[in-house]
Amino acid sequence: MVDKEEIRRRNPIEDVVARFVTLRGSGKSLTGKCPFHDDSRASFVVWPDIGYFRCYAGSCGVEGDVFTFVELMYKVDFREACRILGGEQDARPLPKLTKRPPKVESGPMLSELGPKERQALGLAHRVYHSRLMSMRANSKPRRYLAERCLTVDDVRRFGIGYCTGKDLLPAASFAGVSIPTLQTVGLVVETPEGGWREWLAHRVILPDRDPKGVSYLMGRALSPRATLKYLGLKGVTKPIMGLDSADPKRVTVVLEGIFCAYSLRRRGLQTLAVMGTALRGARAQQLQPFGNIIFVPQNDEPDEDGVRAGDQAVDVWCQEVGKGRVVRLPESIKDVNDLDQAGGLDDWLRTWATWLYRDRS
Ligand SMILES: [Zn+2]
């Protein structure tokens, strides 16, 4: 059994990344040019305190921990990444890179994990969901979801939860789910004092499902000071949300964010949310079984070079997915959930109704 936390301690993410990328800045976040795409700006951010990295370029979007970084850099699996990082205990240099780094995220997917890990994830989901359902309507998480246009019925139907950071460990102990299992699925991390803390603490929990049950959890921060607005399970590859429960024969709308997906799902549409990860390579391939797909990119402000992430995402869509249709939102609207909040979503959908609801007739 690999001691992931020990390897993490010996390999601070900023040191490992700095072997490949010149990082600038100090304190909470460091930035540099992304090594996984042709980056003209510093789109790549590293957060030493949580041991995480992410590329903010719309066409790339890689993210993960130190293991993910090594897996992507060397195009190796998790086991080999451990070996590479384990070899660093004498501060020997990392082995020389022989191939060009790939541009597609890889890493363990939860569906490859066994029944024990499934059970841990199902338990966490039940704990987080029942916690949210027991909270008052004027509590912060419930108010946040209402602002995002979700009713109590939606919260129940989509299985949304809230992680206080205090509920999971006692529940796991009671249910006989071990801490190493919780750690394998990225639900808990070791603290510097040798205790355990919940990885998704103080976040609204947004689940993904497949036919076997809950298959992934995303955490949305409520605090504006949070390092990352969205955080997935630690060390687990982020799926395309909705993919494993989707019917490829139905009309399917592909969106960036999960709240955009909820806005359409509650209107009876089938959706997939890519959650900030570019649709390249294997991820784009996963969309091939879908016959009728529509991509709705976000509208965002151009950066200092005049580049919009939404436009880049459309280019990637055309190159990598190469089918379906792209539908743009009105210029002044950021995304579908924004339009929902502004009260204009139903009118906008009506203009696409013959396409969107063609599987209903
Ligand atoms: Zn990148």
Side-chain angles (χ1 to χ4, degrees), residues 33-39 43-44 54-57 59-62:
K33 285 185 182 175
C34 177
F36 302 111
H37 80 278
D38 194 10
D39 194 9
S43 311
F44 195 77
R54 176 161 189 188
C55 173
Y56 277 94
S59 56
C60 178
V62 294

Side-chain angles (χ1 to χ4, degrees), residues 113-184:
L113 297 179
K116 255 179 19 183
E117 288 78 19
R118 281 270 178 186
Q119 189 200 354
L121 206 61
L123 173 75
H125 175 250
R126 284 195 301 281
V127 166
Y128 297 154
H129 179 62
S130 60
R131 169 59 65 190
L132 181 65
M133 295 312 288
S134 74
M135 293 173 111
R136 290 211 303 260
N138 66 356
S139 62
K140 211 171 160 188
R142 292 277 300 274
R143 272 188 289 129
Y144 173 78
L145 291 165
E147 280 163 22
R148 290 299 199 121
C149 303
L150 293 172
T151 65
V152 183
D153 277 349
D154 297 325
V155 169
R156 194 175 291 121
R157 192 152 54 96
F158 299 140
I160 298 170
Y162 183 71
C163 174
T164 61
K166 293 183 185 134
D167 298 325
L168 182 59
L169 287 166
S173 157
F174 186 74
V177 172
S178 73
I179 285 177
T181 307
L182 296 177
Q183 196 187 1
T184 307

Side-chain angles (χ1 to χ4, degrees), residues 326-344:
V326 177
V327 174
R328 299 301 305 244
L329 290 159
E331 190 72 14
S332 58
I333 297 292
K334 195 177 115 237
D335 59 31
V336 165
N337 189 254
D338 231 34
L339 190 55
D340 199 3
Q341 292 180 43

